Amino acid sequence: MKFKTIIEPFRIKTVEPIRRTSFSERQHALLAAGNNLFLLHAEDVLIDLLTDSGTGAMSSAQWAGMMRGDESYAGARSFYRFEAVVQRITGFKHVIPTHQGRAAERILFGEAVNRGQIVPNNTHFDTTRANVENQHAEARDIPVAEGLQPALIAPFKGNIDLAALETILREEGDRVPLVMITVTNNSGGGQPVSMANIRATSELCRRYGKPFFIDACRFAENAWFIKMREAGYADKTPLEIAQEMFSYADGCTMSAKKDGMSNIGGFLALNDDALAQRCTNLLILTEGYPTYGGLAGYDLEAIAVGLEEALHEDYLQYRTRSVAYLGEKITAGGVPIMQPPGGHAIYIDAKAMLPHIPQHEYPAWALSLVLYLAGGIRSVEIGSVMFGLQPDGSEKPAVMELVRLAFPRRVYTQSHVDYLAEVLLYVNSIKTHIRGVKIVEQPPTLRHFTARLEPAHGALLVGLDSAEFE
Ligand code: F0G
C-alpha cells in the first residue's frame, strides 16, 4: 500500500449526539453518584470508556440481520444460523446461547465446579472470579511474571504461567475441575496470549486429564496479535488463527458483547455430551429454551453477523491501531501505561503515576474520578476497589492499580482520541494535586459496581483553582 494512514474502515450512517457539561455540573453529578462512575447518568458523560462491552456500533449488515430474526420459541432459524457461525469459528459440538458472558460462566461453573475446588486462570475477570467464588471455590490467578510489570514491553504478557499451572496440577490436581485461559487478559491490561501458550496449556491439561476452557470474549483481538507477533502466523487469516486457538480447548465461555460486536448476548460452547446436557438443563431453568437462551431471535442474528465482522482484517487493524494511537500519544507525554497497548483498552498505571497516594486510598479510583471531573471522560478502575475485598471480608491490595480506558467498537473517531489524549496529558500535569479516596458504603461482593466513596482528605483535588477546569 502506498499510503500509510489507517482509517476507520466504515462510514457513519446514524449519529448519536454527546453532551458537554460544565465543571460544576460534573462536580454535582459525581457527588450524587457517591464518587462512583458506575452510578453516573450516562448522559452526563462526554466520552464513555467505561467498557467495550455491549457499547459498540452495529453494522448495516447486523441491522439487516435483525430484521430477519426468527422469534419462534423453539427451533428458530436464527438459532441455527448462530449455531453454524459459532461452530465454524470454534469447532465445538454443543452451542448454548446465553444472555451474556456471566450467564455462560454461571451455568458452566454451576455444573462443573464444586466447593473447595480451585480454578486456575491466567487472570479471572471480575464476574468470572465472582462466579467461581459463588461455588465456594477458589479463583486462582497465575499470569506470567512479565504480565505484572506494566512498563515492560513483551509480545504476550497475557500468557498463563505454565510452571505454576503444572505445580497446581501435580500437587493439588484432585481439586482442579477445569483450567481456564482468558483471551485477551482483560484484568492484566488486555494483553494477548500466544498460540504456543494455549497449546502448552492444552497439553498439560490433557496429561492431567483436566478439561480446558477459553474465556473467549476478545478472541478476535487475540488472534490479531498472534498474527502480528507470533512466528508462523503472519500469513494466516484471523479466522484460521481463532480456529486453531479453539482447537486446543474443550470449550469456551463467550460474551458476545465484546468480539460478538453486539449489544447483548453470549454463549457456552463445549464438546462433552454429558456436561452439555446438564448445562442445557440449567439453561432451561434460568435463561430460556436451548434455541434462544435468554436472547431474542434478532439478537442471535446480530451476533452471527458480528462474530464474522470481528474477524475482518481491516477492522482489527483499525481497532488495535486506534488503541495504540492513544497509548503512543500519552506515553510520549509521560503518562505511565501498561505496555504495550492492549487490544481493547489503554490501562494507566496509577501506582506509577500517583506514587503519593497509598494503595489503601485507591489511587486508580481517584484518578478515574479526576478524569471525569477534568474532561467528562468515564473510565473504570481495575485495582483494589474492584479486587481488594476478599471472600472472607478481609482486604488485600490488588497487584496492580490500573485505570482502564476501554474503546467501544466502531464508536469513536480519531478526533475523540485526540481529545482524550489532551485531557490525559492535562491531568498528568496536575497529578500532584490529586488525593485518595475511602469507601463509605459497600456490598459484600462485586463492590465496585455500587459502592459509595468519599475523598479521604476532604477533597479529591487540593491546591487548585476550579477556574482551571472551565
Ligand atoms: N470474561 C471477561 C474477560 C470479561 O471481560 C467479561 C466482561 C466477562 C467475562 C463477562 O461478560 O459482561 O457479558 O457478562 N467484561 C466487561 C468489561 C463487563 O467491562 O470488561 P458479560
Side-chain angles (χ1 to χ4, degrees):
M1 266 273 272
K2 179 170 169 60
F3 301 111
K4 298 276 176 285
T5 308
I6 296 168
I7 61 167
E8 285 90 359
F10 48 80
R11 51 187 183 172
I12 296 167
K13 190 178 293 200
T14 305
V15 296
E16 182 183 8
I18 49 178
R19 191 172 73 91
R20 286 187 182 277
T21 47
S22 67
F23 179 64
S24 66
E25 280 177 308
R26 293 195 292 277
Q27 272 183 313
H28 282 112
L30 210 50
L31 195 65
N35 288 299
N36 184 337
L37 298 178
F38 278 103
L39 303 181
L40 285 176
H41 289 223
E43 264 190 339
D44 295 331
V45 175
L46 184 64
I47 298 195
D48 203 345
L49 307 184
L50 180 70
T51 178
D52 63 322
S53 180
T55 51
M58 290 208 296
S59 66
S60 45
Q62 284 179 293
W63 284 109
M66 289 183 76
M67 287 307 294
R68 61 169 192 238
D70 176 353
E71 303 304 336
S72 304
Y73 188 94
R77 189 177 59 235
S78 300
F79 171 74
Y80 297 110
R81 188 171 284 132
F82 164 86
E83 183 188 45
V85 173
V86 175
Q87 281 175 337
R88 191 161 79 90
I89 296 171
T90 69
F92 297 128
K93 189 169 165 196
H94 304 282
V95 178
I96 300 173
T98 59
H99 79 274
Q100 62 184 85
R102 69 199 68 181
E105 293 161 7
R106 161 85 190 91
I107 288 170
L108 174 65
F109 300 157
E111 287 304 326
V113 178
N114 293 312
R115 183 179 286 273
Q117 292 189 319
I118 304 164
V119 178
N121 193 324
N122 48 349
T123 312
H124 295 80
F125 196 58
D126 58 353
T127 57
T128 323
R129 166 170 290 278
N131 271 304
V132 171
E133 290 172 353
N134 194 46
Q135 296 300 119
H136 305 280
E138 184 194 339
R140 196 175 294 176
D141 294 341
I142 46 168
V144 285
E146 58 191 17
L148 301 175
Q149 300 167 51
L152 182 83
I153 296 189
F156 291 107
K157 290 168 76 175
N159 283 353
I160 198 167
D161 182 336
L162 293 165
L165 178 60
E166 177 146 31
T167 305
I168 295 171
L169 291 173
R170 195 176 53 239
E171 294 175 3
E172 301 170 281
D174 53 335
R175 290 170 61 205
V176 175
L178 56 94
V179 173
M180 275 192 113
I181 281 192
T182 305
V183 300
T184 57
N185 184 8
N186 188 12
S187 325
Q191 300 293 321
V193 179
S194 71
M195 191 73 85
N197 193 254
I198 293 173
R199 196 183 304 121
T201 301
S202 172
E203 280 162 14
L204 267 178
C205 289
R206 297 256 140 92
R207 192 160 356 122
Y208 286 88
K210 302 296 177 191
F212 169 37
F213 279 77
I214 294 180
D215 178 339
C217 297
R218 300 177 181 85
F219 75 97
E221 290 166 11
N222 201 81
W224 181 254
F225 283 122
I226 288 175
K227 181 176 169 72
M228 292 293 112
R229 298 179 184 173
E230 193 161 350
Y233 289 92
D235 296 331
K236 296 215 152 83
T237 64
L239 173 63
E240 289 167 337
I241 296 170
Q243 286 168 332
E244 183 181 341
M245 283 161 50
F246 288 116
S247 75
Y248 298 121
D250 300 292
C252 72
T253 56
M254 172 74 189
S255 168
K257 300 173 74 172
K258 284 85 169 176
D259 280 350
M261 307 282 260
S262 296
N263 299 125
I264 195 70
F267 56 84
L268 168 63
L270 70 170
N271 286 331
D272 182 318
D273 296 334
L275 180 58
Q277 189 57 55
R278 298 206 309 276
C279 289
T280 301
N281 294 342
L282 189 54
L283 181 88
I284 295 172
L285 191 66
T286 59
E287 288 276 299
Y289 190 73
T291 58
Y292 72 86
L295 294 168
Y298 54 68
D299 294 323
L300 295 166
E301 294 278 349
I303 298 166
V305 178
L307 285 168
E308 297 200 318
E309 289 183 352
L311 288 163
H312 288 178
E313 297 204 6
D314 275 359
Y315 160 73
L316 285 167
Q317 184 183 38
Y318 135 78
R319 173 144 180 88
T320 48
R321 179 61 206 146
S322 47
V323 174
Y325 176 72
L326 177 63
E328 284 163 19
K329 281 199 145 194
I330 63 174
T331 302
V335 179
I337 64 165
M338 183 75 168
Q339 295 285 6
H344 68 298
I346 289 295
Y347 295 65
I348 301 173
D349 179 359
K351 236 194 225 177
M353 181 168 163
L354 306 172
H356 59 285
I357 303 182
Q359 262 189 290
H360 67 268
E361 291 182 4
Y362 309 116
W365 192 277
L367 177 59
S368 72
L369 298 181
V370 174
L371 291 179
Y372 174 68
L373 273 182
I377 297 168
R378 178 152 70 168
S379 54
V380 75
E381 187 250 29
I382 299 194
S384 293
V385 177
M386 186 179 277
F387 288 120
L389 184 62
Q390 306 303 304
D392 65 3
S394 66
E395 183 95 19
K396 184 171 143 216
V399 187
M400 294 186 281
E401 299 292 343
L402 303 171
V403 173
R404 185 187 73 175
L405 301 154
F407 283 45
R409 291 170 180 75
R410 304 186 291 207
V411 168
Y412 295 116
T413 63
Q414 187 168 345
S415 69
H416 292 110
V417 179
D418 288 332
Y419 171 82
L420 285 169
E422 196 183 339
V423 174
L424 290 166
L425 294 178
Y426 168 72
V427 169
N428 194 43
S429 75
I430 58 157
K431 64 185 176 187
T432 56
H433 298 272
I434 303 174
R435 294 294 175 268
V437 291
K438 62 181 182 201
I439 296 174
V440 291
E441 229 182 274
Q442 66 178 23
T445 54
L446 292 171
R447 67 176 172 184
H448 49 293
F449 290 124
T450 53
R452 300 183 82 84
L453 293 94
E454 281 175 6
H457 302 283
L460 197 56
L461 287 164
V462 296
L464 270 184
D465 185 349
S466 69
E468 274 267 342
F469 293 92
E470 294 297 352

